[in-house]
Amino acid sequence: MKEKDKVMQKEPAQVLCFGDSNTWGHNPVSQDRYPASVRWPGVLQRELGEEFSIIEEGLGGRTCVFEDPIEGNKSGLLQLPPLLHSHSPIGIMIIMLGTNDMKRRFGINAFEAARGLGRLIQIIRSYSYPGGYQPPEIILAAPPPILENPGFAEMFNQQSVENSRHFAEAYSAAAEEWGCRFVDAGEITASDPADGIHLSAESHGILGKRFAEEILAMIKT
């Protein structure tokens, strides 16, 4: 065996993308899933290259902390611990949640959603990782505000739309409180008017590149 074959290659740094249907890649026009190359985690992988391994953990309907009484199995709070274990070691974690917390059935605002994210951050930082690995660095992302759309009026009412306009303010404050990096997705993208809650293919591309910039800035500091 050649000497170079005896040298173990360094594992790519793992980036866990923890989100809802906008991380899963829901197409607001066709209602199916964007191809992997179009979804923002796929764009992120392309931008960062082989030194990073991007893990997609998007689930339609996922909330920060609520269990959905109608859809079921949507609580990020309940799903997070096993994912932290199964994907270890995790170098960086991107969290973009909160849109589904604005559903009229939950009746909360963006600041309460941000408090829910604080609970997720507590879990991430206190979890006993296998192999003694350290907790990942966290990027907290504020989703773009919801647009009013008759097709989702039974789930998202006018108050939901209004509450979502405070995502950036609430999440920025939470990121500062918890010492996380912050990205305002609503500053560079917008929900597609086709359904009012999901991202266009163009917005996926913009967001993936923005997260890549943030990660590269992180590793230089």
Side-chain angles (χ1 to χ4, degrees):
M1 180 182 293
K2 296 181 180 179
E3 186 64 28
K4 66 178 182 179
D5 295 328
K6 298 179 182 179
V7 179
M8 292 183 64
Q9 296 296 313
K10 182 180 178 181
E11 289 290 325
Q14 295 203 119
V15 179
L16 179 60
C17 305
F18 189 58
D20 51 30
S21 53
N22 271 324
T23 298
W24 184 81
H26 185 101
N27 185 323
V29 177
S30 66
Q31 304 300 310
D32 58 10
R33 192 181 192 187
Y34 287 121
S37 61
V38 174
R39 302 192 295 264
W40 71 257
V43 176
L44 178 61
Q45 180 69 78
R46 186 164 61 249
E47 291 291 313
L48 293 179
E50 296 181 354
E51 293 183 4
F52 293 83
S53 176
I54 309 304
I55 303 168
E56 292 182 287
E57 270 297 345
L59 175 67
R62 178 179 280 151
T63 66
C64 296
V65 298
F66 293 108
E67 184 55 279
D68 195 310
I70 297 174
E71 297 181 36
N73 300 314
K74 301 297 184 181
S75 170
L77 183 67
L78 297 179
Q79 295 165 353
L80 181 59
L83 295 178
L84 294 177
H85 198 101
S86 64
H87 292 304
S88 289
I90 306 164
I92 298 170
M93 188 164 178
I94 301 172
I95 306 175
M96 189 168 74
L97 288 169
T99 299
N100 292 296
D101 298 74
M102 298 300 101
K103 289 176 179 175
R104 61 195 303 171
R105 69 185 67 144
F106 298 123
I108 70 165
N109 59 39
F111 294 92
E112 291 169 318
R115 291 184 64 187
L117 290 170
R119 291 194 65 191
L120 299 184
I121 294 168
Q122 285 180 310
I123 291 173
I124 293 167
R125 291 185 172 164
S126 63
Y127 190 74
S128 180
Y129 293 88
Y133 291 113
Q134 295 299 305
E137 297 293 325
I138 300 171
I139 299 174
L140 195 59
I146 300 165
L147 303 180
E148 190 169 359
N149 186 289
F152 283 98
E154 77 283 0
M155 288 192 291
F156 298 95
N157 58 11
Q158 185 56 47
Q159 191 61 54
S160 305
V161 173
E162 177 59 32
N163 287 340
S164 74
R165 293 172 182 159
H166 298 281
F167 275 144
E169 179 186 0
Y171 285 32
S172 175
E176 183 174 357
E177 177 184 356
W178 290 98
C180 303
R181 307 285 288 213
F182 173 69
V183 169
D184 180 10
E187 184 179 25
I188 56 173
T189 68
S191 299
D192 194 307
D195 71 3
I197 57 175
H198 294 110
L199 299 173
S200 67
E202 180 183 7
S203 288
H204 272 269
I206 293 170
L207 190 57
K209 291 177 181 179
R210 176 66 184 86
F211 283 136
E213 292 172 358
E214 192 69 21
I215 288 172
L216 292 174
M218 288 175 67
I219 63 178
K220 290 180 181 178
T221 57

